[in-house]
Amino acid sequence: MPRETLTITDNRTGRTYDLPIDHGTIRATDLDQIRLADGDAGITSYDPGFKNTAACDSRITFLDGDRGILLYRGYPIEQLAEHSTYLETAYLLLDAQLPTTEQLDAWTYNITHHTILHENIKKFMEGFRHDAHPMGMLLSTVGALSSFYPRARDIFDSASRRRQIARLIAKMPTLAAFSYRHSVGLPYAYPDNRLSYTGNFLNMMFRMTELEYKPNPVLERALEVLFILHADHEQNCSTSAMRGVGSSLVDPYAAVAAAVAALYGPLHGGANEQVLHMLQEIGDVRRVPDFIKRVKGGEIRLMGFGHRIYKSYDPRAKIIKRMADQVFAVTGRNPLLDIALELERIALEDDYFVGRKLYPNVDFYSGLIYQAMGFPLRMFPVLFAIPRTVGWLAQWEEMLLDPERKIARPRQIYHGSPRRDYVPLLERS
Ligand SMILES: CC(C)(COP(=O)(O)OP(=O)(O)OC[C@H]1O[C@@H](n2cnc3c(N)ncnc32)[C@H](O)[C@@H]1OP(=O)(O)O)[C@@H](O)C(=O)NCCC(=O)NCCS
């Protein structure tokens, strides 16, 4: 079969270059052969924010932003949300296949028996201020785990790698719940091995004096679905951080800390917290049109709207919106829901949003559900970090085993000062 190529003609020299196209992609390093002058370095591509640059070849998650399709290892997110559990989906993301009953049992046992933290982590947590943000605590404590597991540096030993992966997936909910309980002055609640992954997380978050915590099955399932929806999302900001930092061959705890830090920002994992602030600020359905006017004037952004990849309705947002009713049937309706529905209704009819293809993303409704379930706003990015940990780890392992792996090291265009000589302090005007 003839290979597809892209032909570039240099107008100055008349020379042509045929660059092979593979999967709709040219290799940026193929541009290197095009030189502006003899002796010059070849030309490079400039792409701030990586809007049109593929940084890896991946087999984990497929995302078609125009058609609103999201697949984990080929399975549609809608089917996983309906039939799977978080731990089964985590297995799938890591191993590329759905597990058999025995495999799932062994995997669940493994995760359940790694949830306890070293007691010194608790002492470490005591050092944080009483009002520390749980996401700040999570990112530092997960990084600190690196010092507890020195074998984690053996990243090319597959058994050690798999042990750290299980530890991270198992311990993130414990770290997250402990961070929360520290920030509100509650005693830490230890894991309960009888419960599911999400049921146990609810237990560690909300158990008070009862001897046995029984999660509400509707809320436990809702959290399971939310965790499935957040498990991976190909090369987003935090996953790129995980791959980028991991490419220096650091241990996975340090790389996950970097990914958590990336997720902390308001344009990424902090967005659902911002959605709630926005809805609270609007406060009344009647104020929605004024708010939309301010958004269109460029004064503020409509949080929970728009996405770098999705240029249609985010499939995850659709599932969450449907699930909201089941949760509210248990918790009572979140009064902010009406404001969100009105914002969505107006925005989806307005040329500003339609023209820019801005639709609700995963964060638009998830915060309303989390709030109704009793999670404080400051826990929202943490609730994103827990399930995304498996996505980060699957991508990290794929990156490590990629024969084309290279340390992440982008190029730059230099527009700074040309060479100049140092001027001693007293001679400067
Ligand atoms: C997610 C996001 C960062 C993607 O950004 P991006 O791909 O870089 O898109 P841009 O910032 O270039 O936006 C493109 C245009 O849409 C507008 N736009 C994008 N998101 C918008 C929003 N939420 N509200 C209002 N306008 C928005 C921009 O102002 C820009 O308009 P312009 O062309 O007139 O300048 C962006 O949509 C955003 O900030 N959304 C709100 C935060 C959020 O919900 N994040 C969670 C993502 S899951």
Side-chain angles (χ1 to χ4, degrees):
M1 238 176 48
R3 257 200 332 172
E4 282 185 283
T5 56
L6 171 75
T7 303
I8 297 180
T9 306
D10 184 337
N11 286 334
R12 297 156 315 130
T13 60
R15 276 193 68 186
T16 62
Y17 302 86
D18 290 327
L19 311 189
I21 301 175
D22 188 15
H23 281 84
T25 309
I26 58 160
R27 286 190 168 247
T29 45
D30 283 347
L31 297 171
D32 194 39
Q33 58 189 303
I34 307 172
R35 305 201 171 229
L36 296 181
D38 283 346
D40 266 8
I43 66 168
T44 54
S45 56
Y46 177 57
D47 188 7
F50 308 111
K51 283 192 125 171
N52 195 27
T53 295
C56 62
D57 186 336
S58 183
R59 287 172 165 69
I60 301 172
T61 291
F62 174 79
L63 213 172
D64 181 333
D66 289 328
R67 291 188 288 158
I69 296 174
L70 173 61
L71 313 175
Y72 291 164
R73 300 283 190 183
Y75 293 101
I77 192 69
E78 295 80 3
Q79 291 182 21
L80 293 169
E82 173 133 20
H83 304 294
S84 189
T85 60
Y86 175 69
L87 283 186
E88 185 187 55
T89 299
Y91 186 103
L92 170 70
L93 284 166
L94 287 162
D95 277 18
Q97 298 297 340
L98 286 168
T100 61
T101 307
E102 293 80 52
Q103 286 168 331
L104 184 58
D105 287 349
W107 168 241
T108 305
Y109 182 92
N110 193 13
I111 297 298
T112 309
H113 288 81
H114 276 105
T115 47
I116 287 184
L117 298 174
H118 192 291
E119 284 291 292
N120 284 0
I121 286 282
K122 278 189 358 199
K123 292 191 200 139
F124 189 77
M125 289 211 169
E126 295 311 316
F128 287 101
R129 273 178 58 127
H130 67 92
D131 56 354
H133 195 293
M135 191 68 162
M137 292 178 71
L138 180 69
L139 96 82
S140 1
T141 45
V142 76
L145 285 184
S146 154
S147 64
F148 287 77
Y149 304 110
R151 285 287 312 278
R153 268 174 266 157
D154 297 341
I155 53 175
F156 292 110
D157 171 344
S158 62
S160 162
R161 208 167 49 233
R162 282 304 168 121
R163 215 166 19 252
Q164 315 316 325
I165 287 176
R167 279 186 178 135
L168 272 157
I169 293 171
K171 291 182 199 308
M172 282 295 268
T174 319
L175 287 173
F178 279 22
S179 303
Y180 162 68
R181 291 184 78 107
H182 172 85
S183 73
V184 288
L186 282 170
Y188 303 122
Y190 279 70
D192 181 343
N193 286 358
R194 290 167 297 190
L195 298 174
S196 70
Y197 190 79
T198 51
N200 179 46
F201 178 57
L202 290 169
N203 156 61
M204 291 189 291
M205 282 289 300
F206 299 124
R207 188 169 79 214
M208 298 307 281
T209 52
E210 63 270 44
L211 288 178
E212 195 181 329
Y213 178 87
K214 288 208 170 61
N216 178 295
V218 174
L219 304 187
E220 185 181 2
R221 178 65 200 161
L223 196 56
E224 195 92 49
V225 173
L226 284 159
F227 278 12
I228 292 171
L229 300 182
H230 285 86
D232 193 46
H233 212 229
E234 55 120 298
Q235 309 312 314
N236 53 82
C237 179
S238 55
T239 303
S240 304
M242 180 82 194
R243 279 182 176 264
V245 171
S247 75
S248 76
L249 306 187
V250 72
D251 72 69
Y253 299 98
V256 166
V260 175
L263 191 68
Y264 201 173
L267 293 188
H268 191 12
N272 56 7
E273 188 176 352
Q274 298 302 323
V275 171
L276 262 284
H277 286 306
M278 174 185 79
L279 297 175
Q280 280 164 349
E281 187 196 319
I282 298 171
D284 192 305
V285 174
R286 284 167 301 189
R287 284 206 281 274
V288 168
D290 270 355
F291 188 83
I292 295 274
K293 224 180 271 169
R294 287 172 61 205
V295 172
K296 288 164 64 177
E299 200 186 318
I300 34 175
R301 283 207 161 188
L302 180 50
M303 297 313 286
F305 255 69
H307 197 273
R308 171 62 60 78
I309 306 291
Y310 290 121
K311 300 304 170 198
S312 66
Y313 213 106
D314 182 336
R316 301 167 302 170
K318 266 188 208 157
I319 299 169
I320 294 177
K321 193 177 171 187
R322 276 200 304 269
M323 208 176 61
D325 288 335
Q326 294 162 25
V327 172
F328 296 155
V330 175
T331 62
R333 193 177 156 89
N334 190 327
L336 298 175
L337 178 68
D338 292 329
I339 300 173
L341 289 170
E342 182 64 359
L343 269 176
E344 180 186 333
R345 190 189 65 77
I346 298 188
L348 293 184
E349 286 174 355
D350 192 299
D351 285 347
Y352 176 94
F353 297 93
V354 176
R356 289 173 178 75
K357 298 189 176 167
L358 300 171
Y359 294 88
N361 60 46
V362 68
D363 296 312
F364 195 66
Y365 289 108
S366 62
L368 288 170
I369 296 185
Y370 287 141
Q371 192 184 43
M373 289 171 83
F375 290 105
L377 262 57
R378 287 162 16 125
M379 278 301 280
F380 288 7
V382 173
L383 288 162
F384 194 155
I386 297 170
R388 183 54 59 85
T389 301
V390 70
W392 292 330
L393 291 165
Q395 303 267 352
W396 168 73
E397 191 169 49
E398 186 180 65
M399 179 272 306
L400 284 181
L401 302 180
D402 186 340
E404 288 201 282
R405 171 176 45 77
K406 290 263 181 281
I407 186 166
R409 203 306 183 187
R411 302 288 294 272
Q412 64 164 6
I413 303 174
Y414 181 68
H415 275 124
S417 165
R419 185 195 180 282
R420 50 184 166 165
D421 288 323
Y422 178 81
V423 180
L425 183 59
L426 296 178
E427 290 171 29
R428 289 174 217 159
S429 50

